Amino acid sequence: MRRRWTVPYLFLAPFMILFLLFYFASIVYAVYLSLFIQRGIRPKVFSGLANYVRVLHDSQFLGSLATIARFGAIQIPIMLVLALLLALYLDGLRNQRLRTYLSLGFFLPYAMPTVIAGLLWGYLYSKGLSPFNQLLAPFGASIDFLGRRGLLWSLGNIITWTWTGYNMVILYSALRGVPGELYEAARIDGASNLQVVRFIKLPMVAPALALATLFSIIGTLQIFAEPFVLASLTFVPTNLMPNLYIYYTAFNYGNFNYAAALAVVLALITFVLSLGMLALLNFQRRRL
Amino acid sequence: MGAGPNEYTKLLTALKAGTGAPDVVQIEYDFLPNFIDFGGLVDLSKYGAGAYKSDFVPWTWAQVSPDGKAIYAIPQDTGPFAMVYRADLYKKYGLSVPKTWAEFQANAEKLAQETNGSVQYTDFYSTYAPWFMGLVWADGGRLWTHSGNQWTQSLNSASAKKVIDYWGNLVDKKYAATLPDFTSDLNSALAKGQITTLIEAAWGPGSLASRLGTESAGEWRAAPLPQWDASAPFRSGNWGGSSSAVTVQSKHPQAATIFALWLNSSTTSVALNWVNGGLFPASETGLQLSGLHDPSKNPSKFFGGQDVAKVYADASAAVPTDFQWAPWFLYANNSFNKYAADAVSGKTGWSAALDAWQQDVLNYAKTQGYQVSAP
């Protein structure tokens, strides 16, 4: 009987050990770093919350948060609606082989390493070599995809392209989990295809959609590789995204302590947003 | 370790961690004060490096020894400015090689009329602040000076404004493209003959030769940098180039110093650097090496057998020695891109962009605790 209580912990151990080592420990270390001010490798000075006070007044960091909020408000809904449409389409397909083939195809962009995707898109977006611009050339038009107006839209497109398939898989598996009896009952009651979608499929995927939204918000706050790769091709503000700004602060300007404070604040924002989102979901579930 | 953003990231992390940095590192001149200020580099004057001062081109020594006493690196390669142009296009459009910036602009105007704007005269590297800074340097301008810990920053000095207004005008009139350097967009425009002239550092010809391969090979020529005043003594500026520094983590700083000295004065390594990578030497004897002037090898071959190294050696001799960088150069570098993009897109004027840049960088340097003021 004594062995029994240890079993779940043994199963948890592989995750917990890695989690504590590489996730929790680094957060603790970042919090520790953020409490000091140190120039270069001179002796560090304990500064309490001075770095955090600076974060709250850092117009560049606040600017990056504003950008990411606007970016997410547009990009996340577009991506999730696309993912939902694709999932509904796949779910309605009769042809089993086509369904397997397409679901893999939709998911494929996610399997491509971000840096490579960024480079490929960078080429598609280039001023003179872009195939899109070459098609437009006979009409005397060209799109400056990476110019100051186009940059965020172009980034949004890369991220939508990458993550729509991923979100589709979440929604699609939720749709596959809907019991067949529900559809039969609806058909007997004379429901049309549209009514089946509206009154069965959508309510049944709502929790999965909420989860996908949560993942997307967290993911958006962590965007880094795409703008970083594009920076070699065009002007990308160093504070375009919070993570980009943190990276430059630490590894370009060598201010690791301040970067740690920025990172902790970003983590807190993510945490609060996630909690808020979960609370909202629970509240809605109780109402149902 | 080789120079570049990835190296600096690794070096910064290793220095901070206290272990893992190599003995000798390659650092570009403009990044040196940053690493000196970080506390990561050894003063090589303790190990007798001062005795080799006369072996190197004077301005390079001023770069590695900003206060004239401590020596933080040994000069390795340099990037003095010259003008490179397509001789075939000059012939086709009846352009002559400009000696002054006024002639440079007249060429640009003529070409625009001749080709109805389908060929652009030159390119403005709006995402490379050091390119712009090098042009200010060539005007005898200075961006930073200091005495002790007291810094003066003048990113919007009269000289800087003269240079930015000149280039801004070329950009606004579409005489100059704004394709970023090292991109396939620029390479393709050069290969197609859509851009005729570039202001390039000494490592530029080698870079062009490897980026363009056989495209437009043999058509390129180099000429001295155009001057503001043809009657004044000839001047050039510098973009890039690097030095070999010894990190504080080195257990054998004496041996590392000797290695850095050997690396940058060995005749074989200097000649190989030029032929294979287009790196232009900082050592006086290096500039005389016959290997540098071989017309059958690149970059000379790509330049139709022209003695490109001669043009750049003259340029190197004409680089002012008093130009200095600040420890917060990296911030100024990144910040420049933002204001240049504003000006390129027409959101602000060019001169106003420089003022905004100066203010932004000044504020940053102050929050970092530096004693700095505008002149």
Side-chain angles (χ1 to χ4, degrees), chain B residues 28-80:
Chain B
E28 287 157 279
Y29 299 113
D30 37 16
F31 284 74
L32 267 179
N34 175 56
F35 283 101
I36 295 170
D37 187 66
F38 201 80
L41 306 182
V42 174
D43 175 6
L44 307 180
S45 67
K46 281 183 264 181
Y47 305 104
Y52 300 88
K53 179 178 176 181
S54 60
D55 290 353
F56 295 90
V57 179
W59 71 266
T60 64
W61 200 262
Q63 293 280 300
V64 298
S65 179
D67 62 2
K69 291 182 215 98
I71 300 160
Y72 289 104
I74 304 300
Q76 181 164 46
D77 75 293
T78 59

Side-chain angles (χ1 to χ4, degrees), chain A residues 33 38-42 54 60 123 125-130 134 148 228 232-235 237-239 247-248 250-257, chain B residues 9 12-13 15-16 34 36-40 127 178-180 183-185 188 248 330-331 334 337-338 341-342 345 347 360 364 367-370:
Chain A
L33 272 184
Q38 181 182 26
R39 223 165 95 186
I41 50 176
R42 293 182 186 81
R54 198 179 141 194
Q60 298 219 38
Y123 162 73
Y125 286 153
S126 71
K127 248 180 206 163
L129 298 169
S130 163
Q134 279 174 1
R148 67 178 310 122
F228 189 69
S232 66
L233 303 170
T234 184
F235 163 63
T238 50
N239 70 331
Y247 172 85
Y248 278 104
F251 298 110
N252 214 311
Y253 307 146
N255 201 340
F256 293 87
N257 303 80
Chain B
T9 301
L12 217 49
T13 320
L15 285 173
K16 186 79 177 184
N34 175 56
I36 295 170
D37 187 66
F38 201 80
T127 55
T178 51
L179 298 173
T183 57
S184 39
D185 259 344
S188 126
V248 288
L330 276 84
Y331 184 84
N334 291 330
N337 295 349
K338 179 164 119 204
D342 281 347
S345 70
K347 195 183 159 206
D360 178 10
Y364 173 81
T367 52
Q368 298 305 301
Y370 295 104

